[in-house]
């Protein structure tokens, strides 16, 4: 089955598309990557997302416009992926959409909202679309995150020691693949770094980690940030920019003397490295396999390596392109849904049971054929 996964993370800088041939062989799920492409959001749409995210307020009119605009942007990328990556023909498209709100109340996730109307994708491509994949896990008592944990477990299971998959997006999450797997958001990855750099320089991120490398850590501020109660909560847990934003940082800085820009960037970069490392150490990790935009930040990766006396490598070294890992993961989730198989690991999301994820929007020829005879895979093989 030829599947396209579409993804835009909490950094909301671009829409990634990854295409794969997927097939079940006994108890193995075999993934053959066909390539990826990425397109930045149009500036007006990206600004609309930015001005609607917490702690900002918004209107239902703006929510409707964003749902349409994001859907149309995803549709344009999907159409390009069908032509350029799949030779003009795909069996299904799986769309994560754009997370606008993740409702956490006292550690319990009450709801999650991803915008990007899938009808635009189906209409533009004629291909069936699986979308809204997080809500079912939330309804089953889970966090709705990290959904990539099932990919991590299937792929890294059997490696020696205690492998830990790490995603450094806007928010950092890990999957500990040992015994009964555990997965959770560790805290901010690029969310605070990018927000600070944008506020101070107008640039979207700290290119090559230059500002962080130039600055000195403000120890008092770092101590205040590390006192955030979220870090002490037990897994599974999830978070987002609803918590880790500029307003949160401003509260932590109250009463402190002015902090130099480079020192502020160095401090929030160290916060990411420290909180990820603390989480990995807590579970006795013996290697880290990392992906996400944060691996392009040398300062962050050096800090993380210094914090952890274990190998820190990228998914590229194991055959899965790090830039497309999440898009490939959602392709797999949609494939599992179409085969009548659960797409979650309950011990990772906290759900009461594994669930088939998402809603299906018919393509030009109606609904895709769904199989109910497939066996759940126990291993992912990347060809």
């Amino acid at each position: 089955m030829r599947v396209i996964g579409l993804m835009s993370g909490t950094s909301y800088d671009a829409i990634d598309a990854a295409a794969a041939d997927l097939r079940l062989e006994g108890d193995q799920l075999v993934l053959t990557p066909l390539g990826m492409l990425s397109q930045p959001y149009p500036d007006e749409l990206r600004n609309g997302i930015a001005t609607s995210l917490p702690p900002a307020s918004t209107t239902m009119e703006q929510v409707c416009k964003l749902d349409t605009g994001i859907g149309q942007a995803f549709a344009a990328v999907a159409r390009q992926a069908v032509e350029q990556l799949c030779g003009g023909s795909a069996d299904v498209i799986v769309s994560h959409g754009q997370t606008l709100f993740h409702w956490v109340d006292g550690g319990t996730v009450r709801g999650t909202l991803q915008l990007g109307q899938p009808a635009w994708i189906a209409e533009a491509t004629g291909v069936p679309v699986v979308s809204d994949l997080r809500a079912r896990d939330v309804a089953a008592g889970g966090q709705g995150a990290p959904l990539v944990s099932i990919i991590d477990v299937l792929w890294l299971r059997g490696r020696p020691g205690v492998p830990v998959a790490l995603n450094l997006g806007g928010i950092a999450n890990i999957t500990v693949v040992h015994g009964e797997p555990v997965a959770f958001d560790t805290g901010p990855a690029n969310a605070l770094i990018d927000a600070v750099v944008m506020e101070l320089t107008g640039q979207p991120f700290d290119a090559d980690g230059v500002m962080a490398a130039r600055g000195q850590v403000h120890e008092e501020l770092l101590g205040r940030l590390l006192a955030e109660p979220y870090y002490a909560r037990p897994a599974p847990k999830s978070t987002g920019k609803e918590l880790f934003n500029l307003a949160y940082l401003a509260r932590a800085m109250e009463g402190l003397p002015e902090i130099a820009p480079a020192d502020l960037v160095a401090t929030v970069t160290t916060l990411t490295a420290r909180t990820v490392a603390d989480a990995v150490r807590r579970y006795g990790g013996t290697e880290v396999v990392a992906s996400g935009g944060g691996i392009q930040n040398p300062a962050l990766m050096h800090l993380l390596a210094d914090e952890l006396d274990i190998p820190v490598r990228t998914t590229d070294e194991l055959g899965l392109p790090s830039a497309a890992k999440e898009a490939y993961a959602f392709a797999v989730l949609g494939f599992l849904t179409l085969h009548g198989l659960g797409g979650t690991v309950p011990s990772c999301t906290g759900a009461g049971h594994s669930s088939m994820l998402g809603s299906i929007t018919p393509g030009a020829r109606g609904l895709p054929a769904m199989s109910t005879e497939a066996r759940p895979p126990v291993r992912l093989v990347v060809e």
Side-chain angles (χ1 to χ4, degrees):
M1 181 176 282
R2 188 154 290 186
V3 186
I4 295 170
L6 300 174
M7 177 72 196
S8 177
T10 50
S11 295
Y12 59 91
D13 51 355
I15 302 167
D16 299 328
D21 277 328
L22 289 162
R23 68 183 187 273
L24 289 166
E25 292 185 353
D27 63 0
Q28 291 190 150
L29 173 59
V30 182
L31 185 155
T32 305
L34 299 177
M36 73 160 292
L37 56 85
S38 184
Q39 291 292 341
Y41 270 122
D43 289 342
E44 183 178 357
L45 183 55
R46 190 174 194 275
N47 291 337
I49 295 170
T51 56
S52 299
L53 289 171
S57 59
T58 189
T59 64
M60 291 307 298
E61 177 185 1
Q62 181 66 359
V63 170
C64 180
K65 289 179 177 179
L66 285 175
D67 192 38
T68 298
I70 294 168
Q72 291 171 335
F74 269 67
V77 175
R79 187 169 53 243
Q80 186 179 359
V82 170
E83 295 301 323
Q84 296 183 11
L85 305 179
C86 298
S89 177
D91 296 300
V92 66
I93 295 169
V94 189
S95 175
H96 172 271
Q98 181 66 59
T99 297
L100 267 291
F101 195 79
H102 195 62
W103 178 19
V104 183
D105 181 9
T108 300
V109 175
R110 305 292 186 185
T112 187
L113 179 65
Q114 286 73 46
L115 296 185
Q117 173 52 242
W120 292 101
I121 303 171
E123 188 67 23
T125 63
V127 179
V129 181
V130 181
S131 62
D132 199 19
L133 290 100
R134 296 189 184 276
R136 183 65 181 272
D137 185 71
V138 172
Q143 297 280 317
L147 290 188
V148 296
S149 57
I150 192 171
I151 313 304
D152 298 330
V153 171
L154 292 175
W155 188 40
L156 299 181
R157 178 185 281 150
R159 289 183 66 82
V162 183
V164 177
L166 166 65
N167 178 59
L168 292 169
I171 300 297
N173 61 67
I174 65 169
T175 304
V176 183
V177 186
H178 182 70
E180 187 172 48
V182 177
F184 58 96
D185 291 343
T186 63
N190 303 312
L192 287 180
I193 302 170
D194 293 351
V196 169
V197 172
M198 175 62 77
E199 181 74 9
L200 294 175
T201 71
Q203 299 301 309
F205 56 88
D206 183 14
D208 296 324
V210 170
M211 288 187 72
R214 193 169 63 234
Q216 298 292 320
V217 174
H218 192 287
E219 294 294 343
E220 185 174 353
L221 175 58
L222 179 62
R224 292 185 181 188
L225 294 171
L226 288 170
E228 164 57 46
Y230 176 80
Y231 302 122
R233 292 178 183 167
K237 58 184 177 178
S238 59
T239 188
K241 290 184 176 179
E242 299 78 23
L243 173 59
F244 294 110
N245 52 47
L246 283 177
Y248 157 84
L249 182 61
R251 289 192 297 271
M253 294 172 63
E254 288 178 358
L256 295 177
E258 184 175 350
I259 300 173
D263 293 350
L264 188 54
V265 176
T267 302
V268 294
T269 304
T270 299
L271 174 70
T272 290
R274 180 76 52 81
T275 51
V276 167
D278 285 347
V280 172
R281 282 191 291 262
R282 190 177 309 131
Y283 288 91
T286 57
E287 69 168 335
V288 170
V289 182
S291 61
I295 68 171
Q296 304 300 325
N297 183 331
L300 175 56
M301 295 302 286
H302 286 317
L303 286 168
L304 186 58
D306 289 344
E307 289 274 353
L308 291 168
D309 190 23
I310 59 174
V312 178
R313 53 177 55 93
T314 69
T315 62
D316 299 270
E317 297 176 45
L318 302 183
L320 191 62
S322 57
K325 183 197 170 188
E326 283 198 295
Y328 279 122
F330 278 89
V332 168
L333 293 175
F335 176 87
L336 293 174
T337 293
L338 293 182
H339 285 78
L341 299 173
T344 59
V345 179
S347 64
C348 290
T349 67
H353 55 80
S354 183
S355 300
M356 285 189 288
L357 303 177
S359 301
I360 301 174
T361 302
R365 292 186 294 274
L367 292 169
M370 293 184 66
S371 169
T372 58
E373 299 178 359
R375 289 184 294 162
V378 299
R379 179 174 171 79
L380 173 68
V381 176
V382 179
E383 285 193 335

